Amino acid sequence: MTRIANSVGRAYRSELRAEQAGETRARILDATLRVIARGIASVSIPAVAREAGVSVPTVYRHFGTKQELLAALYPHAVQRAGLADLAPPRSVDELRDGVRAYFDQVDSFDDLARAAMASPASEEVRRLSIPDRLALTRRLADSIVPKLADPDRDRIARLLMVLLSSSALRTWRDYLGSSVDQAADDVEWIVRAAIAAARRNER
């Protein structure tokens, strides 16, 4: 009897299988966006599975819990909107152009993304995405103004998270009648003022 074995128990990896798994994962996340866009207060895994055309166990195979599914939605939406492709500013001088590019992308969200963001169910997604969004704005704070003390860096990161939210853009545009350029100018001015205040506190 001949025994066939992989060399030293190496795990088999199929590129095709990995690609199919990625496509299924994206289909589930897109389906979740559509379910949320319907304006319901809470998302259910069976509703997502039906919308995606997969079984409930398939959803759980890709996302162990409902919280994991909803937490994955923010990075997926960022990727889907092209926000992940934007080069982050590397200094305060580059901040205005970076903010303008970001707001232009957010402003170009498709109808599905807009409806999902306006839904009551999106509140849970926002809450679950806060750690990822804070980590992103901390990296942004470090790149535009390195060598700040941790409390000041964290304060500026929180400020950036609020200023760069889609709801802040809606406030500038819908309530104040500001253009994207004016909103970007305001964000730059506020961040420069916060950095100046932090520098004064260091003396």
Side-chain angles (χ1 to χ4, degrees), residues 104-185:
D104 276 340
Q105 286 294 103
V106 170
D107 210 25
S108 68
F109 276 178
D110 60 22
D111 291 341
L112 175 61
R114 288 178 193 279
M117 287 189 301
S119 168
S122 68
E123 288 305 314
E124 189 174 2
V125 175
R126 279 191 195 93
R127 183 178 52 76
L128 289 168
S129 71
I130 284 174
D132 286 338
R133 291 164 67 194
L134 265 176
L136 183 68
T137 54
R138 279 192 188 103
R139 287 194 300 274
L140 177 56
D142 284 341
S143 70
I144 62 173
V145 56
K147 299 179 184 167
L148 271 182
D150 284 348
D152 291 326
R153 188 271 315 257
D154 289 344
R155 185 173 289 120
I156 288 172
R158 291 191 301 270
L159 180 65
L160 281 166
M161 192 168 115
V162 171
L163 293 173
L164 298 178
S165 68
S166 56
S167 56
L169 177 57
R170 283 195 305 274
T171 300
W172 266 296
R173 188 186 56 222
D174 300 340
Y175 298 121
L176 300 175
S178 300
S179 66
V180 167
D181 283 333
Q182 288 170 321
D185 285 344

Side-chain angles (χ1 to χ4, degrees), residues 92-113:
V92 182
D93 292 333
E94 292 182 7
L95 181 62
R96 183 192 175 281
D97 289 337
V99 169
R100 190 189 189 294
Y102 176 81
F103 278 168
D104 276 340
Q105 286 294 103
V106 170
D107 210 25
S108 68
F109 276 178
D110 60 22
D111 291 341
L112 175 61

Side-chain angles (χ1 to χ4, degrees), residues 14-51:
S14 163
E15 292 298 324
L16 177 61
R17 185 171 293 166
E19 185 180 325
Q20 289 170 337
E23 288 170 1
T24 301
R25 180 181 170 87
R27 195 163 84 225
I28 291 167
L29 289 166
D30 283 340
T32 307
L33 277 175
R34 290 193 299 275
V35 169
I36 289 174
R38 291 187 189 127
I40 59 170
S42 182
V43 174
S44 76
I45 296 295
V48 168
R50 275 192 305 277
E51 184 68 32

